[in-house]
Amino acid sequence: MKKTPARLSMIATRLSAALVLLPILAHAAAIDMQANKDRFVDSLLAQMTLQEKVGQLRMEYAGAQPNPQAMLDTIASGQVGAMFTAPTASQAGLRELQDAAVQRSRLRIPLFFAGDVVHGQRTIFPINLGQASSWDLQAIGKSARVAALEATADGLDMTFAPMLDISRDPRWGRISEGYGEDTYLVSRIAGTVIRALQGPTLGASDSLMACAKHFAGYGAVEGGRDYNTSDMSERRLVEEYLPPFKAALDAGAGAVMTALTSLNGVPATANSWLLHDILRQQWQFKGLVISDHGAVEELIAHGVAEDGNQAALAALAAGTQMSMSDRYFARGLTSLVKQGQVTEQQLDSAVRQVLATKYDLGLFEAPYRRLQPGSGPDNEARRQHRAHARDMARRSLVLLKNHDEVLPLSRHATLALIGPLADNAVDILGSWHANGEAEQAVTLRQGLQSGQAADARLLYAKGANISDNPQAFALLADNRVNFDPRPAETLRAEAVAAAQQADVVVVALGEARGMSHEGASRTELNLPGQQRALLRALKGTGKPLVLVLMNGRPLTISEESQWADAVLETWFSGSEGGNAIADVLFGAYNPSGKLPVTFPRSVGQIPLYYNHLNTGRPFDPARPAAYRSRYYDIDDTPLYPFGHGLSYTSFSVSSPRLSSTRLQAGQGLQVQVTVRNEGMRAGETVVQLYIRDRRASVSRPVKELKGFDKLLLSPGQTREVTLHLPASAFSFVDRNLRWVVEPGWFDVMVGLDSQTVQTTSFELMP
Ligand code: BGC
């Protein structure tokens, strides 16, 4: 048939009618699916005994060989709802557990399997603080997707990740697990990671349900001491600490984990304001709330419960629905229901949620969906994603200093590679390395060797142990890190001798991975043990000195950074770390990372973060005066500010141009800048957009990140960058805990770090 104009217009009309109908149909289908799910869950619930219901709320730990008979029998008797699996649990073992649930238990309700896939499963990516340093949402998303592919193929249905705790205290070892100090950046990453882990539909066999943790305020433990008290204004909590969780839920996160800690005096696991008022009522969260490991039991130590029954009661009543590895939740609930202290309705609502989670994961339909047999040894090379690991790692490295362009290095130079982390395949994987194997990690020594030209030489000496205390390794990392028992002077002398023969000295210093981990807080943030002395001795050789840092938190390295000609922050960079670092050192990749966290000069400055309030007496380094808010014994600036990171090329940024300087309420703003690569190499940089609300009913930060864009420019290339500020970017939490926008003047700042910015302003009209 000929397509006459009349016919074309009829097709167009039908098409647009269909397009209008599509969302309606999708909505109807969603309602239908929800109704099916509700019907299914209700009918199952109606068949369950009290003991079976309580069993569903229990998550038990499966060890590396999860098949002891007692556990299988407990599962078969319907007393376990889910398993927390060790990263090394074999698939055959997990299948045996699932067999017990779906073949032997009365109602054949499948288990779900959860584990800590924090920055990779078999292929280990940089720790999350490192990934955040990339400011590259695409790369971070891809890493999470890979982690989901590998973890689901290893039998997992859920990961206890992402960790979305904002932290401004590098003494806290878990700062390494999160994405840094800034609410906006962490929120953007949160949404990206959730979508990547869970995929388009949770029921798919390669979708891994996310459990956003730790709700909430864990990153603000006093003194940075793990598990300590968090106490902060509700205004600060709502404005700065909660938005990443809200972003995670908006992206569809299936579960949330409560924090082990107390918040403003009430332990998170028994905190109905957090778990009910905010999570359920305000945010309308429809997913599962799981306690952290043993958190229900710990309510007794927190002093809000007398015994196990009271602990279980407090947790369930507040909104905790499933308990991870504690003795009391399951045990106590049965008698609490019998005594009438917990109503059957309360219990049912938690059980309904667990069943709904399993339904969403597609487990009723196919309990072995993520437990397919025959995929061979877990970590076979073909089951890894090394190319992306290398790419992600390169993007995570932050060039903090590069005096006289000592970097990049020549591939032909004789290098002396020194340091306890230089040939260390264990620590480079970082904490929470899941199924990643040290034997498969590339050390810096291996990376440099493969990156060097055939005529080049690589000298190596360990130079020092990470710490003086050999026990620290057993406790903080593992005993595969060889402690060199020779005297420190001998190790140092060997290193100096190697350095003297080299053109350039590359020294890899930092922490054992266990030092930046759960339960691993520090009061000093210097290079531990003899490492500082080693660096000073190497400085004494007069050779160009490149400091490669491997660590899980900002370190206080004021002097060390002066001794070194170049400083490259590499965090714990994962399976391909050594290759990625070599790529940057030799210039095969131009570094583009930017700090997601402030580096203080001294522990005494902590908490030090870029988006602080101005105070009534701000200190102005250009005009120092008495009685200002400052320390007298230190330069008040950070050592390296949030957003800092150098490149082998240089970029210029124009002052920002605004789409309007007078905004009506509810209007957004376009901010345009011209960015130019002024150097001779192609490179990426991150344009950062900050705002300041000059006057409001509560004091506003001197700067707040509200947008960024990472772009690649070839030498001499210029690009117009437009960043969009939605109307919501101007809102804040007022004294009544409401998000409001108040009229008045705002500054708009753009720069390549948080300190050096160009400013313009606009007025938001009443
Ligand atoms: C940690 C959680 C972790 C859980 C299971 C707890 O001690 O706080 O982050 O997911 O253990 O390993």
PDB file of all heavy atoms in Angstrom, residues 84 116 160 174 213-214 257 260 292-293 324 432 518, ligand 1:
ATOM      1  N   PHE A  84      24.006 -15.973  55.068  1.00  0.00           N
ATOM      2  CA  PHE A  84      25.096 -15.026  54.850  1.00  0.00           C
ATOM      3  C   PHE A  84      26.302 -15.885  54.507  1.00  0.00           C
ATOM      4  O   PHE A  84      26.746 -16.678  55.313  1.00  0.00           O
ATOM      5  CB  PHE A  84      25.269 -14.201  56.128  1.00  0.00           C
ATOM      6  CG  PHE A  84      26.594 -13.562  56.337  1.00  0.00           C
ATOM      7  CD1 PHE A  84      27.345 -13.078  55.267  1.00  0.00           C
ATOM      8  CD2 PHE A  84      27.102 -13.394  57.614  1.00  0.00           C
ATOM      9  CE1 PHE A  84      28.563 -12.470  55.471  1.00  0.00           C
ATOM     10  CE2 PHE A  84      28.322 -12.789  57.836  1.00  0.00           C
ATOM     11  CZ  PHE A  84      29.059 -12.333  56.763  1.00  0.00           C
ATOM     12  N   ASP A 116      29.323 -10.171  51.280  1.00  0.00           N
ATOM     13  CA  ASP A 116      29.938  -8.846  51.161  1.00  0.00           C
ATOM     14  C   ASP A 116      30.704  -8.711  49.853  1.00  0.00           C
ATOM     15  O   ASP A 116      31.914  -8.960  49.805  1.00  0.00           O
ATOM     16  CB  ASP A 116      30.894  -8.612  52.339  1.00  0.00           C
ATOM     17  CG  ASP A 116      30.147  -8.418  53.642  1.00  0.00           C
ATOM     18  OD1 ASP A 116      29.569  -7.353  53.836  1.00  0.00           O
ATOM     19  OD2 ASP A 116      30.154  -9.363  54.477  1.00  0.00           O
ATOM     20  N   PHE A 160      25.861  -7.147  50.540  1.00  0.00           N
ATOM     21  CA  PHE A 160      25.792  -6.145  51.612  1.00  0.00           C
ATOM     22  C   PHE A 160      26.562  -4.920  51.142  1.00  0.00           C
ATOM     23  O   PHE A 160      27.654  -4.602  51.627  1.00  0.00           O
ATOM     24  CB  PHE A 160      26.395  -6.689  52.901  1.00  0.00           C
ATOM     25  CG  PHE A 160      25.710  -7.909  53.434  1.00  0.00           C
ATOM     26  CD1 PHE A 160      26.433  -9.001  53.870  1.00  0.00           C
ATOM     27  CD2 PHE A 160      24.323  -7.969  53.524  1.00  0.00           C
ATOM     28  CE1 PHE A 160      25.813 -10.133  54.379  1.00  0.00           C
ATOM     29  CE2 PHE A 160      23.675  -9.100  54.022  1.00  0.00           C
ATOM     30  CZ  PHE A 160      24.429 -10.178  54.448  1.00  0.00           C
ATOM     31  N   ARG A 174      36.822   2.349  58.210  1.00  0.00           N
ATOM     32  CA  ARG A 174      35.839   2.004  57.190  1.00  0.00           C
ATOM     33  C   ARG A 174      35.611   3.134  56.200  1.00  0.00           C
ATOM     34  O   ARG A 174      34.812   2.976  55.274  1.00  0.00           O
ATOM     35  CB  ARG A 174      34.525   1.574  57.841  1.00  0.00           C
ATOM     36  CG  ARG A 174      34.703   0.405  58.785  1.00  0.00           C
ATOM     37  CD  ARG A 174      33.399  -0.269  59.123  1.00  0.00           C
ATOM     38  NE  ARG A 174      32.984  -1.164  58.048  1.00  0.00           N
ATOM     39  CZ  ARG A 174      31.963  -2.022  58.157  1.00  0.00           C
ATOM     40  NH1 ARG A 174      31.276  -2.088  59.287  1.00  0.00           N
ATOM     41  NH2 ARG A 174      31.631  -2.796  57.154  1.00  0.00           N
ATOM     42  N   LYS A 213      23.974   0.186  53.051  1.00  0.00           N
ATOM     43  CA  LYS A 213      24.332   0.168  54.474  1.00  0.00           C
ATOM     44  C   LYS A 213      25.191   1.372  54.813  1.00  0.00           C
ATOM     45  O   LYS A 213      25.747   1.985  53.891  1.00  0.00           O
ATOM     46  CB  LYS A 213      25.055  -1.135  54.819  1.00  0.00           C
ATOM     47  CG  LYS A 213      26.467  -1.267  54.203  1.00  0.00           C
ATOM     48  CD  LYS A 213      27.024  -2.649  54.453  1.00  0.00           C
ATOM     49  CE  LYS A 213      28.482  -2.747  54.010  1.00  0.00           C
ATOM     50  NZ  LYS A 213      29.013  -4.107  54.103  1.00  0.00           N
ATOM     51  N   HIS A 214      25.339   1.748  56.053  1.00  0.00           N
ATOM     52  CA  HIS A 214      24.704   1.236  57.270  1.00  0.00           C
ATOM     53  C   HIS A 214      23.795   2.362  57.718  1.00  0.00           C
ATOM     54  O   HIS A 214      24.287   3.475  57.984  1.00  0.00           O
ATOM     55  CB  HIS A 214      25.734   0.930  58.356  1.00  0.00           C
ATOM     56  CG  HIS A 214      26.860   0.025  57.897  1.00  0.00           C
ATOM     57  ND1 HIS A 214      27.979   0.448  57.232  1.00  0.00           N
ATOM     58  CD2 HIS A 214      27.011  -1.325  58.024  1.00  0.00           C
ATOM     59  CE1 HIS A 214      28.786  -0.575  56.981  1.00  0.00           C
ATOM     60  NE2 HIS A 214      28.216  -1.662  57.448  1.00  0.00           N
ATOM     61  N   MET A 257      20.533  -2.077  55.347  1.00  0.00           N
ATOM     62  CA  MET A 257      21.087  -2.672  56.568  1.00  0.00           C
ATOM     63  C   MET A 257      21.188  -1.605  57.649  1.00  0.00           C
ATOM     64  O   MET A 257      21.641  -0.498  57.387  1.00  0.00           O
ATOM     65  CB  MET A 257      22.486  -3.240  56.294  1.00  0.00           C
ATOM     66  CG  MET A 257      23.089  -3.989  57.470  1.00  0.00           C
ATOM     67  SD  MET A 257      24.857  -4.344  57.233  1.00  0.00           S
ATOM     68  CE  MET A 257      24.789  -5.508  55.893  1.00  0.00           C
ATOM     69  N   LEU A 260      25.364  -0.701  63.232  1.00  0.00           N
ATOM     70  CA  LEU A 260      25.618  -1.306  64.543  1.00  0.00           C
ATOM     71  C   LEU A 260      25.587  -0.254  65.640  1.00  0.00           C
ATOM     72  O   LEU A 260      25.461  -0.577  66.821  1.00  0.00           O
ATOM     73  CB  LEU A 260      27.018  -1.955  64.543  1.00  0.00           C
ATOM     74  CG  LEU A 260      27.208  -3.197  63.681  1.00  0.00           C
ATOM     75  CD1 LEU A 260      28.691  -3.467  63.454  1.00  0.00           C
ATOM     76  CD2 LEU A 260      26.559  -4.405  64.346  1.00  0.00           C
ATOM     77  N   ASP A 292      22.527  -5.370  60.969  1.00  0.00           N
ATOM     78  CA  ASP A 292      23.927  -5.746  60.753  1.00  0.00           C
ATOM     79  C   ASP A 292      24.235  -6.964  61.633  1.00  0.00           C
ATOM     80  O   ASP A 292      23.437  -7.360  62.488  1.00  0.00           O
ATOM     81  CB  ASP A 292      24.862  -4.561  61.053  1.00  0.00           C
ATOM     82  CG  ASP A 292      26.240  -4.760  60.432  1.00  0.00           C
ATOM     83  OD1 ASP A 292      26.541  -5.880  59.980  1.00  0.00           O
ATOM     84  OD2 ASP A 292      27.027  -3.802  60.400  1.00  0.00           O
ATOM     85  N   HIS A 293      25.413  -7.517  61.388  1.00  0.00           N
ATOM     86  CA  HIS A 293      25.839  -8.753  62.027  1.00  0.00           C
ATOM     87  C   HIS A 293      25.766  -8.649  63.562  1.00  0.00           C
ATOM     88  O   HIS A 293      26.519  -7.894  64.172  1.00  0.00           O
ATOM     89  CB  HIS A 293      27.283  -9.019  61.592  1.00  0.00           C
ATOM     90  CG  HIS A 293      27.753 -10.394  61.881  1.00  0.00           C
ATOM     91  ND1 HIS A 293      28.267 -10.764  63.096  1.00  0.00           N
ATOM     92  CD2 HIS A 293      27.789 -11.491  61.108  1.00  0.00           C
ATOM     93  CE1 HIS A 293      28.611 -12.027  63.058  1.00  0.00           C
ATOM     94  NE2 HIS A 293      28.337 -12.494  61.864  1.00  0.00           N
ATOM     95  N   MET A 324      20.738 -10.613  61.117  1.00  0.00           N
ATOM     96  CA  MET A 324      21.914 -11.305  60.605  1.00  0.00           C
ATOM     97  C   MET A 324      22.710 -11.857  61.785  1.00  0.00           C
ATOM     98  O   MET A 324      23.158 -11.088  62.644  1.00  0.00           O
ATOM     99  CB  MET A 324      22.790 -10.326  59.810  1.00  0.00           C
ATOM    100  CG  MET A 324      23.908 -10.996  59.028  1.00  0.00           C
ATOM    101  SD  MET A 324      25.254  -9.873  58.591  1.00  0.00           S
ATOM    102  CE  MET A 324      24.445  -8.500  57.852  1.00  0.00           C
ATOM    103  N   TRP A 432      37.844  -6.356  52.403  1.00  0.00           N
ATOM    104  CA  TRP A 432      36.652  -6.886  51.744  1.00  0.00           C
ATOM    105  C   TRP A 432      36.965  -7.279  50.297  1.00  0.00           C
ATOM    106  O   TRP A 432      36.330  -6.778  49.370  1.00  0.00           O
ATOM    107  CB  TRP A 432      35.525  -5.860  51.741  1.00  0.00           C
ATOM    108  CG  TRP A 432      35.107  -5.418  53.094  1.00  0.00           C
ATOM    109  CD1 TRP A 432      35.407  -4.213  53.650  1.00  0.00           C
ATOM    110  CD2 TRP A 432      34.321  -6.124  54.070  1.00  0.00           C
ATOM    111  NE1 TRP A 432      34.860  -4.129  54.904  1.00  0.00           N
ATOM    112  CE2 TRP A 432      34.184  -5.280  55.194  1.00  0.00           C
ATOM    113  CE3 TRP A 432      33.721  -7.381  54.093  1.00  0.00           C
ATOM    114  CZ2 TRP A 432      33.474  -5.658  56.332  1.00  0.00           C
ATOM    115  CZ3 TRP A 432      33.020  -7.749  55.235  1.00  0.00           C
ATOM    116  CH2 TRP A 432      32.895  -6.898  56.336  1.00  0.00           C
ATOM    117  N   GLU A 518      37.139  -2.710  58.805  1.00  0.00           N
ATOM    118  CA  GLU A 518      36.244  -2.697  59.966  1.00  0.00           C
ATOM    119  C   GLU A 518      37.063  -2.963  61.228  1.00  0.00           C
ATOM    120  O   GLU A 518      37.945  -3.823  61.240  1.00  0.00           O
ATOM    121  CB  GLU A 518      35.160  -3.779  59.810  1.00  0.00           C
ATOM    122  CG  GLU A 518      34.178  -3.731  60.963  1.00  0.00           C
ATOM    123  CD  GLU A 518      33.037  -4.729  60.829  1.00  0.00           C
ATOM    124  OE1 GLU A 518      32.830  -5.269  59.731  1.00  0.00           O
ATOM    125  OE2 GLU A 518      32.356  -4.953  61.849  1.00  0.00           O
TER     126      GLU A 518
HETATM  127  C1  BGC B   1      29.695  -5.204  58.987  1.00  0.00           C
HETATM  128  C2  BGC B   1      28.844  -5.175  57.751  1.00  0.00           C
HETATM  129  C3  BGC B   1      28.983  -6.479  56.999  1.00  0.00           C
HETATM  130  C4  BGC B   1      28.632  -7.623  57.934  1.00  0.00           C
HETATM  131  C5  BGC B   1      28.733  -8.968  57.274  1.00  0.00           C
HETATM  132  C6  BGC B   1      29.444  -6.448  59.821  1.00  0.00           C
HETATM  133  O1  BGC B   1      30.328  -6.549  60.891  1.00  0.00           O
HETATM  134  O2  BGC B   1      29.460  -4.043  59.762  1.00  0.00           O
HETATM  135  O3  BGC B   1      29.218  -4.095  56.947  1.00  0.00           O
HETATM  136  O4  BGC B   1      28.162  -6.457  55.871  1.00  0.00           O
HETATM  137  O5  BGC B   1      29.507  -7.591  59.030  1.00  0.00           O
HETATM  138  O6  BGC B   1      30.043  -9.272  56.954  1.00  0.00           O
END
